Amino acid sequence: MDYVNLGRSGLQVSPLCLGTMNFGPLTTEEDSFAIMDRAHELGINFFDTANVYGWKLGEGITEQIIGRWFAQGGGRREKTVIATKLNGRMSDWPNDQKLSALNIRKACDASLKRLQTDYIDIYQAHHIDRDTPFDEFWEAMEILRQQGKIVYVGSSNFAGWHIAKAQESAARRNFTGLISEQSHYNLLTRTVELEVLPACEDYGLGVIPWSPLAGGLLGGVLRKIDKGRSASDNVVKQLEKHRDKIERYETFCDELNEDPAYVALAWLLKQRAVTAPIIGPRTLEQLEGSMRTLEIELDEAALARLDEIFPGHRTAPEDYAW
């Protein structure tokens, strides 16, 4: 495994990030343990989760599963760069959500307890909170870092101007600021190319794309449906909307003799500021298959062909103005 720095930081992470959102709702605890163990065997040291994963209000089921895996010992915690997130609602009370100093303190302590660890490597804001000023946000994060409860701070789903505002506020406080941004980015969804990616590149944030396979549309969906495998109503609806592009994409992947899912991931690794796409395997087979991504070499001709099928954006404002 060739590890890479996360943004401008000295933190070394694997170029694929293990997403854990399926742990609990779709993947049993036993299978989740097996996936995490195998991830370490494959050299994947970067795991992502969130306090709301598990989707039962306030329970943090996925964090609990990871915590019980850490508790087995064997260097599991020490070998893992664990990133978790806060912002989502954890109870019906008003201060158990968003990014107030109070919720940052409470949410961090709760995640540490569920994860059975005394520190979080990357503590991420799951979404922007327009009601909390960045000075309050940074003061709370500074205290957590001074207490040794977190090491780095990241964002998720921030706009480009949110990143700029956050970094300028942190700089005034002589604080490191954000080292990563987790964004919705894939061949079909490329809006972040307008301003988010340029902002991340300029401020030195590593980009961690979520939904790299566009909910399954880029994972060989036509082949699966042709073989009689079921798809969700949303996937079927989106497929009809993008069928022409998906047909051309899967034909091109056939020409490359590669699986569409791994081509989509390999493409992301070629994009500016991207550090590690998030893979969300439900099974060991899916995890092991994803390692093929790191062997795929997309040349300029292949990248141009993909841009032709899925047109992207130039940096704003040149994308829409002279």
Side-chain angles (χ1 to χ4, degrees):
M1 180 69 68
D2 293 324
Y3 296 95
V4 293
N5 286 68
L6 182 57
R8 70 190 186 285
S9 78
L11 184 64
Q12 295 253 296
V13 297
S14 50
L16 293 176
C17 177
L18 180 67
T20 63
M21 190 169 65
N22 291 324
F23 294 177
L26 297 177
T27 305
T28 67
E29 182 162 323
E30 181 181 2
D31 288 345
S32 300
F33 282 17
I35 288 171
M36 289 186 282
D37 281 335
R38 183 60 178 146
H40 271 185
E41 291 173 2
L42 294 168
I44 296 174
N45 72 334
F46 190 15
F47 294 8
D48 175 75
T49 191
N51 60 356
V52 294
Y53 289 173
W55 313 117
K56 289 188 177 180
L57 186 64
E59 294 192 23
I61 291 171
T62 303
E63 285 187 332
Q64 289 189 45
I65 290 172
I66 297 170
R68 288 190 286 271
W69 180 74
F70 282 155
Q72 295 179 99
R76 287 176 171 83
R77 175 63 186 97
E78 293 78 8
K79 295 174 184 175
T80 303
V81 174
I82 187 68
T84 192
K85 300 184 283 289
L86 82 151
N87 187 309
R89 188 166 63 95
M90 293 298 284
S91 85
D92 291 327
W93 290 91
N95 290 310
D96 287 338
Q97 60 183 319
K98 304 178 79 172
L99 300 178
S100 69
L102 177 59
N103 189 46
I104 288 173
R105 174 180 176 173
K106 292 168 61 179
C108 182
D109 286 344
S111 285
L112 289 171
K113 183 177 181 180
R114 287 189 292 265
L115 290 167
Q116 300 194 45
T117 185
D118 56 4
Y119 72 98
I120 294 164
D121 296 287
I122 310 170
Y123 202 33
Q124 304 165 112
H126 209 161
H127 202 286
I128 191 68
D129 175 6
R130 294 178 176 85
D131 296 325
T132 300
F134 275 113
D135 280 342
E136 178 179 348
F137 172 81
W138 284 127
E139 182 178 32
M141 291 297 184
E142 288 164 13
I143 291 170
L144 291 181
R145 190 171 185 186
Q146 290 163 4
Q147 293 172 334
K149 294 179 179 179
I150 68 171
V151 183
Y152 299 99
V153 181
S155 61
S156 182
N157 304 308
F158 276 27
W161 73 274
H162 296 143
I163 292 168
K165 193 171 182 180
Q167 297 303 77
E168 295 304 320
S169 174
R172 288 193 298 272
R173 304 177 65 88
N174 295 314
F175 193 65
T176 305
L178 303 170
I179 67 157
S180 62
E181 158 61 21
Q182 196 174 129
S183 284
H184 188 192
Y185 188 29
N186 55 57
L187 278 163
L188 270 171
T189 305
R190 299 181 59 171
T191 311
V192 292
E193 294 172 350
L194 285 164
E195 300 198 21
V196 175
L197 297 192
C200 289
E201 192 171 43
D202 191 70
Y203 283 104
L205 278 64
V207 175
I208 310 166
W210 62 267
S211 192
L213 303 184
L217 287 178
L218 299 170
V221 64
L222 292 177
R223 306 174 187 194
K224 295 172 184 176
I225 289 178
D226 288 344
K227 291 180 180 178
R229 292 174 61 180
S230 62
S232 68
D233 291 341
N234 182 59
V235 169
V236 172
K237 182 178 179 180
Q238 290 299 311
L239 175 59
E240 292 311 306
K241 180 179 178 181
H242 300 291
R243 178 173 284 274
D244 177 63
K245 291 180 179 179
I246 299 301
E247 287 177 348
R248 292 165 62 197
Y249 175 62
E250 292 197 15
T251 297
F252 178 54
C253 291
D254 286 338
E255 293 173 14
L256 295 175
N257 197 30
E258 297 287 356
D259 188 290
Y262 311 147
V263 172
L265 290 166
W267 175 83
L268 278 169
L269 287 171
K270 287 284 191 178
Q271 305 312 302
R272 63 196 298 184
V274 169
T275 298
I278 295 175
I279 55 172
R282 295 188 300 275
T283 65
L284 274 174
E285 291 74 20
Q286 290 177 344
L287 170 66
E288 291 169 348
S290 67
M291 299 304 291
R292 172 60 188 159
T293 300
L294 304 179
E295 300 172 3
I296 296 175
E297 291 290 339
L298 297 176
D299 58 21
E300 292 301 320
L303 293 171
R305 180 78 175 275
L306 291 169
D307 281 338
E308 179 185 334
I309 298 171
F310 302 104
H313 295 279
R314 291 186 297 162
T315 299
E318 287 82 1
D319 189 77
Y320 49 79
W322 57 270

